[in-house]
Amino acid sequence: MATIDQEQPAPHAPLHVAIVMDGNGRWAKRRGLPRQVGHPKGVDAIRRVVEAAPAQGVRWLTLYAFSTENWRRPAGEVAEVMRLLKLYVNSDLDKLAREGVKVRILGRRAGLPPDVAEIVERAERQTAHNDKFFLQVAFNYGGRADQVDAARALAAEAAAGRLKPEDITEELLQSKLSTSGLPDPDLVIRTSGEQRLSNFLLWETAYSEFVFQDVLWPDYNADYLRAAIEEFQKRERRYGGAVADDVLAAG
């Protein structure tokens, strides 16, 4: 793994980039291989992007690795994803920790195999005090499930008399999400040519910019990330408002 911060960050780069890593199965299928063969190649792409992101001005990187819906996939494919998570953490965690990367796993812990839950906790514990770069992995994560869990937490507080329903605000609900404390993504990238969120960061992406790239995830590299950031830099973010010229034109 290369050392981070090897080149000058792009001006006005998105500080938080979230990526829907799509196309592992199709990558393998196009080569006449079983779907699960694509996942190790996808891990190689993760390494390339984690190395490249800080040098391009990104401070937070959130990767969608395994959704709450992915449990419906063939058991062999699910087992391969679990194996690769463990392999990635075991092989890369020490270097990530030395380079100042803080690892955080988003999503439900309940239902994870015990050995996977243990390695998730170890990754967070070993990097807890780092602050040079922030890597979030959404694993057993779903945007709707995360909001349901947040609503349940607030409902429990209200039922216990510790919270009045009228005191619930957007900020309070957000504090109960698994992404609490993270800035909202500036840029969301989806690979493989598909153009949908697939239940990823539904709350947090309200004002994110989206870039869809027609490349399968195992082929992803620093050049594709740079292209997405360059597209982001062309955008004018309004957050529901309007620029002066638009107001004058409307008048």
Side-chain angles (χ1 to χ4, degrees), residues 43-201:
V43 172
D44 291 340
I46 290 175
R47 291 190 175 104
R48 292 193 293 269
V49 172
V50 170
E51 292 167 6
Q56 297 191 34
V58 177
R59 186 161 169 78
W60 288 269
L61 177 67
T62 301
L63 303 175
Y64 200 12
F66 190 82
S67 75
T68 50
E69 292 75 31
N70 286 158
W71 293 105
R72 305 170 189 165
R73 293 188 175 185
E77 185 176 349
V78 171
E80 177 66 2
V81 172
M82 298 294 164
R83 184 187 74 83
L84 288 172
L85 174 67
K86 294 187 289 183
L87 180 64
Y88 176 68
V89 171
N90 284 329
S91 63
D92 290 46
L93 182 59
D94 287 346
K95 189 168 183 63
L96 292 171
R98 287 197 305 271
E99 294 191 346
V101 179
K102 183 172 184 176
V103 179
R104 179 172 171 181
I105 309 300
L106 309 178
R108 289 175 169 172
R109 305 296 169 91
L112 290 177
D115 55 341
V116 173
E118 186 279 328
I119 208 164
V120 162
E121 292 170 5
R122 177 157 61 88
E124 292 186 332
R125 183 174 62 251
Q126 189 169 334
T127 63
H129 301 294
N130 289 341
D131 61 3
K132 189 174 184 180
F133 182 72
F134 299 90
L135 173 62
Q136 292 72 233
V137 180
F139 198 85
N140 195 25
Y141 174 88
R144 289 181 174 179
D146 209 32
Q147 292 183 43
V148 166
D149 291 345
R152 286 174 176 167
L154 292 175
E157 292 188 21
R162 296 190 299 270
L163 176 67
K164 295 179 180 179
E166 59 268 26
D167 291 335
I168 296 175
T169 62
E170 290 185 11
E171 291 76 17
L172 186 58
L173 191 148
Q174 189 167 13
S175 73
K176 301 298 183 181
L177 297 173
S178 65
T179 55
S180 175
L182 294 175
D184 290 342
D186 301 293
L187 170 63
V188 177
I189 300 168
R190 180 164 185 149
T191 63
S192 85
E194 302 292 348
Q195 299 186 20
R196 57 182 179 272
L197 267 177
S198 295
N199 201 18
F200 182 47
L201 300 178

Side-chain angles (χ1 to χ4, degrees), residues 200-221:
F200 182 47
L201 300 178
L202 299 180
W203 176 279
E204 298 84 353
T205 56
Y207 287 104
S208 302
E209 297 292 326
F210 292 81
V211 171
F212 302 103
Q213 294 178 297
D214 194 11
V215 53
L216 299 178
W217 178 250
D219 293 325
Y220 208 80
N221 57 33

